[in-house]
Amino acid sequence: QQKVQQSPESLIVPEGGMASLNCTSSDRNVDYFWWYRQHSGKSPKMLMSIFSNGEKEEGRFTVHLNKASLHTSLHIRDSQPSDSALYLCAASKQGGRALIFGTGTTVSVSP
Amino acid sequence: AQTIHQWPVAEIKAVGSPLSLGCTIKGKSSPNLYWYWQATGGTLQQLFYSITVGQVESVVQLNLSASRPKDDQFILSTEKLLLSHSGFYLCAWSGGQANTEVFFGKGTRLTVV
């Protein structure tokens, strides 16, 4: 059973639009959430991480975390074609073996 | 700065043949090391984990083995490849503390025919 679930599976966003991605962990022991972006044929690179309740913004990217529900979301505003990629959510915890990745959301930004 | 180098970049191998993939991390002493596998467009499945030389933990059984012969080197291997081994193999490292960022190598694309 996948412990980190992401939705939607795929998303088409117009250029300049907003993309919203969701992620929930079923493991109540996780402390940290991570968002990675992986362009086709490349390796994943970390976008943002969050461990406190609330919101964190970096440029066009905003991450929210609700620790009570173990739900995080990633929002990309003013989406660009270069944002087209697989977005992977991951969770980690004290004593855990690195990151447990979710199922991923494929974002396609249409010009 | 830390660097991670994976080899080879890509491999096409026959079913039943042996395989050896490797990675080297420079600029970081005693890193935690990981092997991940990814089916095309899919999620990352953690295969192995190592916190120190000579110690490797298996996370999933895929008829693969891993070894850490040096502090900065991690090897993934099998004696007999299956079709199901095809995919993208990623070596990664992190610092020794919990909840730290994981950094990935550029990966090896394996096609088993």
Side-chain angles (χ1 to χ4, degrees), chain A residues 1 3-4 7 33 36 40 49-50 65 81 85 97-98 100 108-109:
Chain A
Q1 182 185 358
K3 290 187 176 181
V4 179
S7 64
F33 285 89
Y36 278 73
S40 182
S49 64
I50 189 165
L65 176 61
R97 299 169 179 167
I100 304 301
S108 300
V109 180

Side-chain angles (χ1 to χ4, degrees), chain A residues 36 38 43 92 97-99 102, chain B residues 36 38 43 46 57 99 102 105:
Chain A
Y36 278 73
Q38 184 180 21
S43 59
S92 62
R97 299 169 179 167
L99 306 181
Chain B
Y36 282 88
Q38 186 180 37
T43 190
Q46 190 181 355
E57 289 188 47
N99 291 327
V102 173

Side-chain angles (χ1 to χ4, degrees), chain A:
Chain A
Q1 182 185 358
Q2 189 69 32
K3 290 187 176 181
V4 179
Q5 293 285 350
Q6 289 185 246
S7 64
E9 281 188 21
S10 61
L11 189 58
I12 298 174
V13 183
E15 186 173 356
M18 171 80 84
S20 294
L21 292 67
N22 298 293
C23 172
T24 303
S25 171
S26 59
D27 184 343
R28 297 219 59 86
N29 295 312
V30 301
D31 316 289
Y32 252 84
F33 285 89
W34 309 78
W35 285 94
Y36 278 73
R37 181 167 71 178
Q38 184 180 21
H39 287 108
S40 182
K42 304 294 185 183
S43 59
K45 287 191 169 41
M46 201 269 287
L47 266 179
M48 294 181 72
S49 64
I50 189 165
F51 63 95
S52 298
N53 266 328
E55 176 182 301
K56 184 176 174 182
E57 181 178 332
E58 290 181 7
R60 296 184 293 109
F61 299 88
T62 303
V63 172
H64 293 268
L65 176 61
N66 180 324
K67 295 193 82 169
S69 59
L70 293 177
H71 177 264
T72 179
S73 57
L74 172 69
H75 305 272
I76 309 170
R77 62 176 173 82
D78 188 23
S79 295
Q80 302 297 308
S82 59
D83 294 327
S84 296
L86 176 66
Y87 288 78
L88 292 159
C89 173
S92 62
K93 58 187 176 183
Q94 292 289 340
R97 299 169 179 167
L99 306 181
I100 304 301
F101 283 87
T103 48
T105 294
T106 300
V107 173
S108 300
V109 180
S110 57

Side-chain angles (χ1 to χ4, degrees), chain B residues 11-17 81-86 110-113:
Chain B
E11 282 262 50
I12 299 176
K13 303 277 282 186
V15 169
S17 63
L81 279 166
L82 307 172
L83 285 174
S84 57
H85 285 136
S86 293
L110 175 67
T111 303
V112 182
V113 296

Side-chain angles (χ1 to χ4, degrees), chain B residues 15-79:
Chain B
V15 169
S17 63
L19 174 76
S20 181
L21 306 179
C23 78
T24 300
I25 293 84
K26 296 298 182 188
K28 176 67 181 176
S29 63
S30 304
N32 290 343
L33 298 177
Y34 316 93
W35 279 109
Y36 282 88
W37 173 80
Q38 186 180 37
T40 303
T43 190
L44 296 175
Q45 173 67 64
Q46 190 181 355
L47 300 176
F48 296 96
Y49 167 90
S50 172
I51 61 171
T52 191
V53 174
Q55 288 187 19
V56 176
E57 289 188 47
S58 173
V59 179
V60 290
Q61 290 295 329
L62 282 181
N63 293 311
L64 296 167
S65 61
S67 64
R68 186 170 178 176
K70 302 178 186 177
D71 186 53
D72 64 354
Q73 195 174 73
F74 209 18
I75 307 295
L76 182 71
S77 60
T78 183
E79 293 186 359

